[in-house]
DNA sequence: GTTAGCTTTGT
DNA sequence: CAAAGCTAA
């Protein structure tokens, strides 16, 4: 009956009332319906894991109570199709506008575009905003108007932009509720009975919710931030910001973090506090990496499943589920790695340094396919974040132009003495090694028999011997790299012979199916210090097949692939599965469209900056403009869009695109590791 | 104390 | 590879 001007605010990973541009815009426009849609099936294989859902549950409750104190409440919907649920809510509330904030992961890019199209075709006004980043990805380009391809250059540009990030918005003082009398909330089941027991521990260490996020920020800025630079090497870290899960769910605005931290930096700079200034720079850099992860994802929407440097597609990963299991359980025989993996399993948390240690070990010593590791992180981390994790794993696995070289193996023994010099971290998480002297704690396999005996360590029985020696790993890695170059040369030869699709298309991601039985057996549970055992309930995190399912059409195909992959899992196919190719082509088209449309849809919601800044984008990709809601809204047209095509890369996707490589002088460093043979 | 030359590290 | 850190004259 009411509301000519009822607006829906579609909350996603922006679970806050403060500095939430979509919410503020809706409040300004009139009555408001706050909506959250839970549609995990849409995320394909990246459905949130147990701890992630635990966080979400509490964050939503917190948001709801904040909204209630402002005059409305959160409508929740359980759905398998966000867009149609959105439309249902529009109809049942009589809303005329839908506002939401941007996301940059590949699935959201497509879904949000669909949402915009469908709603617009129903005569609904849709506006979207930047709530997640300091600057939108399309605002950060090099001198030629191209996206950056190395982090340092990207971040330097961000920090020297001619205009500051928007200042944070205050929370609304009051919200006038829309008419939801015909719109019932669904109860969301984000945690089942078995999981409750496991999750009970989490609440001791973490407090989800936007106002708790603000408290965590204040605590950090007034405390550990000052020593951030000094402490960053310690595995045992009460010294990190602990903001990542808050940031993942958008409980905390990055713009606000940036703002407050910069103010602190100015203060310290005035006092001549060098250490403080340095700490702020380092902390901001980690914020920058988060920005960069979105930037990479937007520019290369396949980066969660394809290496950005093409030759990695042909790397002969070791497909060994035994290794994978040992890694997950913290039974690799390398104490620092094992301690990290057990901490991850027990708490859903890992210091950034240790994430690098365990993932580097995974990729370089075990030589397992990095996407397996990434998926495991996704399932177990409290702050699991697709964009950040993709960036991290690509960095580790040598598939970024500015990442670590693949042939440099980090030795967990030496890293142990660097990050955990007194062995305290290892002792906390590996009780079976607790009595070992520090001298041997990071390499028990070298310890004299008598020492081991005195410490109650029986290698091979209560603590494993290293499952792979570092020397053996180095040898195998070199061989693998030669093999990769051999395949790469062969692939190039085929392509140059004029064959349409050569080897190059048997992408690594499709060749290596994810193991199906990721759950750990009860009996093999790693020992854990004095925490009560967590109930093992992992079915909900069972890993599906290899592909991201972007569409329903595709999901059908996916199950076929799963079956065929079962049979030949250990093989890196030499020949291209034609069905797979068709799927890839479909994906490619979807993504191209999505990219193009993302360009459109983001442009249409963005706050206009100064004209000069925008003109580059506008002139290349926008042909018409029209007025809407008093704002100038650019409109995209295909004929004018060379820009978005470049973002996608060539027909082979991001990974193998020569254009990507061409823009990377450094990539050739990768190509030249130790003069590996280019042929045979 | 300084510094060339080597090792480590870094997104 | 380049910058930073370290060592041995």
């Amino acid at each position: 009956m009411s509301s000519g001007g009822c607006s829906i605010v579609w909350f996603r990973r922006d679970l806050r009332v403060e500095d939430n541009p979509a919410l503020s815009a809706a409040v300004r426009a009139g009555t408001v319906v706050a909506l959250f849609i839970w549609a995990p099936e849409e995320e394909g294989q990246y459905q949130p894991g147990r701890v992630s859902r635990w966080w979400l549950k509490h964050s939503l409750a917190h948001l709801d109570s904040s909204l209630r104190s402002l005059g409305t409440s959160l409508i929740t919907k359980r759905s398998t199709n966000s867009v149609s649920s959105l439309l249902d809510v529009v109809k049942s509330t009589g809303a005329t506008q839908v506002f939401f904030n941007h996301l940059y992961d590949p699935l959201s890019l497509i879904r949000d575009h669909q949402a915009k199209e469908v709603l617009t075709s129903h005569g609904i006004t849709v506006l979207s905003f930047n709530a997640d980043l300091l600057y939108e990805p399309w605002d950060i380009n090099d001198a030629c108007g191209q996206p950056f391809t190395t982090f340092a250059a990207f971040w330097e540009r961000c920090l020297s932009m001619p205009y500051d990030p928007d200042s944070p918005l205050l929370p609304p003082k009051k919200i006038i509720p829309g008419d939801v009398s015909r719109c019932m909330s669904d109860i969301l089941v984000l945690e089942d009975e078995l999981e409750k027991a496991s999750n009970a521990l989490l609440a001791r260490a973490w407090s989800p919710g936007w106002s708790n996020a603000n408290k965590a920020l204040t605590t950090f800025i007034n405390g550990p931030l000052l020593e951030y630079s000094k402490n960053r090497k310690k595995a045992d870290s009460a010294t990190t910001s602990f903001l990542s899960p808050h940031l993942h769910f958008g409980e905390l605005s990055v713009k606000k973090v940036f703002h407050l931290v910069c103010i602190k930096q100015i203060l310290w700079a005035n006092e001549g506090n060098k250490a403080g200034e340095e700490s702020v720079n380092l902390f901001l850099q980690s914020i920058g990496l988060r920005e960069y992860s979105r930037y990479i994802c937007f520019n290369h929407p396949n980066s969660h499943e394809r290496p950005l440097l093409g030759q990695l597609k042909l790397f002969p990963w070791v497909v060994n589920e035994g290794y994978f299991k040992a890694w997950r359980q913290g039974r690799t025989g390398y104490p620092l790695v094992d301690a990290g993996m057990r901490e991850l399993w027990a708490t859903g948390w890992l210091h950034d340094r240790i994430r690098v240690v365990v993932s580097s070990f995974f990729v370089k010593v075990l030589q397992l396919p990095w996407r397996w590791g990434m998926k495991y992180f996704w399932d177990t981390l409290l702050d699991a974040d697709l964009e950040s994790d993709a960036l991290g794993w690509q960095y580790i696995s040598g598939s970024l132009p500015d990442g670590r070289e693949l042939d440099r193996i980090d030795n967990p023994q030496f890293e142990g003495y660097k990050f955990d010099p007194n062995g305290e971290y290892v002792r906390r998480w590996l009780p079976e090694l607790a009595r070992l002297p520090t001298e041997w704690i990071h390499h028990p396999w070298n310890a004299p028999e008598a020492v081991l005996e005195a410490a109650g360590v029986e290698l091979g029985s209560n603590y494993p011997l290293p499952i792979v020696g570092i020397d053996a790993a180095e040898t195998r890695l070199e061989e693998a790299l030669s093999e990769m170059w051999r395949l790469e040369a062969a692939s190039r030869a085929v392509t140059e012979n004029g064959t349409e699709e050569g080897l190059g298309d048997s992408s690594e991601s499709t060749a290596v199916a994810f193991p199906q039985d990721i759950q750990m057996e009860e009996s093999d549970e790693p020992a854990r210090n004095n925490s009560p055992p967590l109930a093992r309930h992992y079915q909900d995190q069972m890993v599906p097949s290899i592909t991201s399912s972007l569409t329903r059409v595709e999901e059908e195909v996916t199950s076929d692939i799963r079956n065929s992959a079962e049979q030949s899992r250990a093989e890196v196919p030499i020949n291209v599965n034609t069905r797979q190719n068709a799927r890839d082509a479909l994906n490619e088209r979807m993504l191209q469209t999505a990219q193009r449309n993302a360009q459109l849809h983001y442009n249409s919601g963005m706050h206009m900056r100064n004209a000069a800044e925008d003109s580059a984008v506008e002139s290349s990709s926008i042909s018409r403009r029209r007025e809407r809601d008093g704002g100038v809204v650019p409109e995209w047209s295909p004929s004018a869009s060379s820009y978005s095509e470049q973002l996608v890369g060539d027909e082979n996707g991001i990974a193998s695109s020569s254009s990507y490589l061409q823009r990377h002088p450094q990539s050739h460093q990768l190509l030249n590791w130790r003069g590996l043979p280019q042929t045979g």
Side-chain angles (χ1 to χ4, degrees):
Chain A
M1 45 187 85
S2 66
S3 59
C6 177
S7 314
I8 291 173
V9 180
W10 182 21
F11 282 92
R12 293 99 62 84
R13 291 196 291 276
D14 51 351
L15 305 179
R16 62 176 185 262
V17 295
E18 181 185 84
D19 194 29
N20 187 322
L23 176 62
S24 294
V27 169
R28 207 176 308 130
T31 59
V32 174
V33 171
L35 172 67
F36 181 85
I37 301 170
W38 172 241
E41 290 81 6
E42 281 184 350
E43 314 289 327
Q45 77 179 77
Y46 291 103
Q47 297 188 26
R50 187 197 87 216
V51 291
S52 202
R53 278 182 282 109
W54 173 84
W55 191 288
L56 178 61
K57 177 186 166 179
H58 292 281
S59 192
L60 287 172
H62 193 102
L63 177 65
D64 182 52
S65 89
S66 299
L67 289 170
R68 281 172 194 275
S69 71
L70 290 170
T72 184
S73 65
L74 187 65
I75 302 289
T76 52
K77 288 284 180 186
R78 176 66 172 93
S79 167
T80 51
N81 183 332
S82 300
V83 178
S84 68
S85 294
L86 196 47
L87 197 58
D88 290 345
V89 175
V90 165
K91 285 175 180 159
S92 63
T93 58
T96 55
Q97 310 183 92
V98 172
F99 297 157
F100 60 86
N101 294 310
H102 294 159
L103 295 174
Y104 309 88
D105 65 282
L107 296 158
S108 297
L109 287 174
I110 289 170
R111 185 200 48 219
D112 292 354
H113 169 65
Q114 278 171 356
K116 231 170 205 189
E117 273 197 333
V118 169
L119 292 168
T120 305
S121 76
H122 282 76
I124 306 298
T125 301
V126 183
L127 290 179
S128 60
F129 305 85
N130 169 21
D132 194 47
L133 296 174
L134 300 177
Y135 299 102
E136 292 284 19
W138 52 86
D139 285 335
I140 306 294
N141 290 302
D142 65 17
C144 314
Q146 294 292 312
F148 289 101
T149 50
T150 56
F151 172 70
F154 164 81
W155 189 230
E156 194 186 46
R157 176 76 182 135
C158 288
L159 290 176
S160 60
M161 286 289 276
Y163 51 91
D164 286 331
D166 298 326
S167 333
L169 303 161
L170 293 171
K173 285 188 270 310
K174 188 181 173 196
I175 298 174
I176 304 166
D179 175 13
V180 292
S181 57
R182 291 186 303 125
C183 179
M184 286 291 118
S185 271
D186 298 329
I187 292 176
L188 306 184
V189 181
L190 298 169
E191 180 185 45
D192 68 29
E193 285 308 315
L194 277 165
E195 291 171 337
K196 268 185 189 153
S198 315
N199 287 341
L201 283 171
L202 293 170
R204 286 195 214 159
W206 299 94
S207 305
W210 71 274
S211 54
N212 294 321
N214 278 313
K215 283 181 206 153
L217 175 63
T218 311
T219 307
F220 174 65
I221 290 180
N222 294 326
L225 176 59
L226 182 60
E227 309 258 89
Y228 191 80
S229 145
K230 203 178 91 191
N231 284 333
R232 89 203 127 109
K233 287 197 170 167
K234 292 194 184 145
D236 249 344
S237 53
T239 57
T240 59
S241 71
F242 294 111
L243 294 177
S244 55
H246 295 295
L247 287 169
H248 171 76
F249 287 104
E251 295 175 351
L252 190 56
S253 151
V254 151
K255 286 178 211 156
K256 181 177 174 180
V257 174
F258 185 78
H259 210 79
L260 292 179
V261 167
C262 286
I263 287 172
K264 199 79 180 177
Q265 186 174 39
I266 291 167
L267 212 74
W268 282 334
N270 287 339
E271 294 169 359
N273 184 339
K274 273 280 167 220
E277 239 191 304
E278 178 59 18
S279 283
V280 170
N281 283 336
L282 267 163
F283 175 69
L284 284 181
Q285 174 171 293
S286 66
I287 296 292
L289 284 166
R290 181 181 173 283
E291 297 269 310
Y292 191 54
S293 72
R294 270 77 180 149
Y295 186 78
I296 290 279
C297 231
F298 178 78
N299 287 312
H300 309 287
N302 255 330
S303 62
H304 62 306
E305 51 185 16
R306 290 196 190 194
L308 264 70
L309 294 184
Q311 63 276 26
L312 259 291
K313 287 200 307 188
L314 300 169
F315 186 90
W317 300 106
V318 173
V319 180
N320 181 327
E321 293 185 28
Y323 284 1
F324 185 34
K325 190 168 167 186
W327 179 77
R328 294 193 315 257
Q329 296 180 334
R331 312 201 119 259
T332 67
Y334 291 91
L336 186 64
V337 173
D338 292 339
M341 293 310 292
R342 295 195 200 175
E343 181 183 18
L344 172 58
W345 177 245
T347 67
W349 174 259
L350 222 41
H351 188 290
D352 181 54
R353 284 294 159 141
I354 304 301
R355 294 183 197 204
V356 172
V357 169
V358 300
S359 56
S360 168
F361 182 84
F362 183 93
V363 169
K364 300 185 183 194
V365 178
L366 302 180
Q367 290 163 40
L368 295 166
W370 61 271
R371 292 186 55 241
W372 292 10
M374 188 176 101
K375 180 62 171 71
Y376 184 74
F377 269 23
W378 172 261
D379 285 339
T380 52
L381 279 172
L382 199 56
D383 59 7
D385 182 282
L386 197 55
E387 295 94 315
S388 293
D389 290 345
L391 179 66
W393 282 88
Q394 296 238 14
Y395 165 69
I396 286 305
S397 63
S399 33
L400 289 172
D402 51 353
R404 296 202 178 182
E405 291 92 341
L406 184 52
D407 67 346
R408 192 166 95 200
I409 292 190
D410 299 299
N411 189 323
Q413 176 185 336
F414 302 146
E415 289 182 312
Y417 287 107
K418 240 180 293 170
F419 303 141
D420 180 32
N422 304 316
E424 288 151 8
Y425 181 69
V426 165
R427 289 194 187 91
R428 164 143 7 119
W429 294 105
L430 303 178
E432 63 267 45
L433 298 186
R435 294 167 62 204
L436 212 54
T438 304
E439 188 186 359
W440 305 109
I441 193 102
H442 290 299
H443 54 135
W445 59 89
N446 293 134
E449 221 19 80
V451 171
L452 289 172
E453 206 172 318
V457 176
E458 215 177 309
L459 288 180
S461 104
N462 69 352
Y463 187 74
L465 284 158
I467 56 172
V468 179
I470 297 296
D471 293 348
E474 263 164 9
T475 313
R476 192 173 64 183
L477 188 56
E478 277 183 32
E479 285 164 8
L481 287 167
S482 329
E483 175 67 2
M484 180 179 88
W485 292 120
R486 204 185 56 69
L487 292 170
E488 205 258 347
S491 150
R492 230 191 2 249
V494 171
T495 314
E496 280 161 13
N497 279 345
T499 313
E500 273 288 328
E501 303 281 330
L503 274 178
D505 216 46
S506 66
S507 88
E508 163 267 332
S509 61
T510 56
V512 187
F514 205 96
Q516 302 292 303
D517 61 335
I518 190 175
Q519 71 273 30
M520 294 192 196
E521 293 81 14
E522 200 70 44
S523 56
D524 287 339
E525 179 179 8
R528 203 176 303 121
N529 74 329
N530 50 31
S531 4
L534 305 179
R536 188 67 9 78
H537 182 66
Y538 231 60
Q539 288 88 323
D540 53 314
Q541 295 170 11
M542 288 276 275
V543 177
S545 69
I546 43 197
T547 54
S548 69
S549 13
L550 295 171
T551 63
R552 318 210 112 213
V553 183
E554 205 195 328
E555 262 162 355
E556 292 165 22
V557 184
T558 303
S559 58
D560 283 347
I561 291 162
R562 185 179 309 169
N563 294 334
S564 69
E566 282 284 323
Q567 289 148 22
S568 60
R569 186 185 294 151
E571 298 296 322
V572 176
I574 298 296
N575 292 314
V576 182
N577 175 331
T578 48
R579 194 202 296 269
Q580 194 64 56
N581 259 352
R583 191 194 59 81
D584 278 357
L586 173 67
N587 260 355
E588 234 30 82
R589 274 199 305 282
M590 290 288 302
L591 286 168
Q592 293 206 15
T593 315
Q595 275 301 281
R596 204 175 287 139
N597 294 332
Q599 203 64 38
L600 161 63
H601 104 184
Y602 286 125
N603 281 337
S604 68
M606 79 187 170
H607 302 277
M608 299 305 285
R609 319 267 191 197
N610 70 65
E613 210 39 50
D614 281 330
S615 60
V617 174
E618 285 163 19
S619 61
S620 67
S621 64
I622 291 138
S623 62
R624 286 182 294 141
R625 314 164 124 257
R626 86 193 139 84
E627 292 286 321
R628 191 194 279 160
D629 279 344
V632 184
V633 178
E635 208 172 287
W636 179 88
S637 107
S639 58
S641 79
S642 60
Y643 182 61
S644 52
E645 302 294 339
Q646 286 160 14
L647 291 177
V648 181
D650 65 15
E651 76 289 341
N652 234 352
I654 311 93
S656 60
S657 79
S658 48
S659 63
Y660 185 83
L661 286 173
Q662 274 160 13
R663 298 214 312 275
H664 293 286
Q666 290 117 312
S667 304
H668 293 286
Q669 284 166 25
L670 278 169
L671 293 173
N672 290 330
W673 288 310
R674 299 200 189 152
L676 287 164
Q678 295 294 305
T679 53

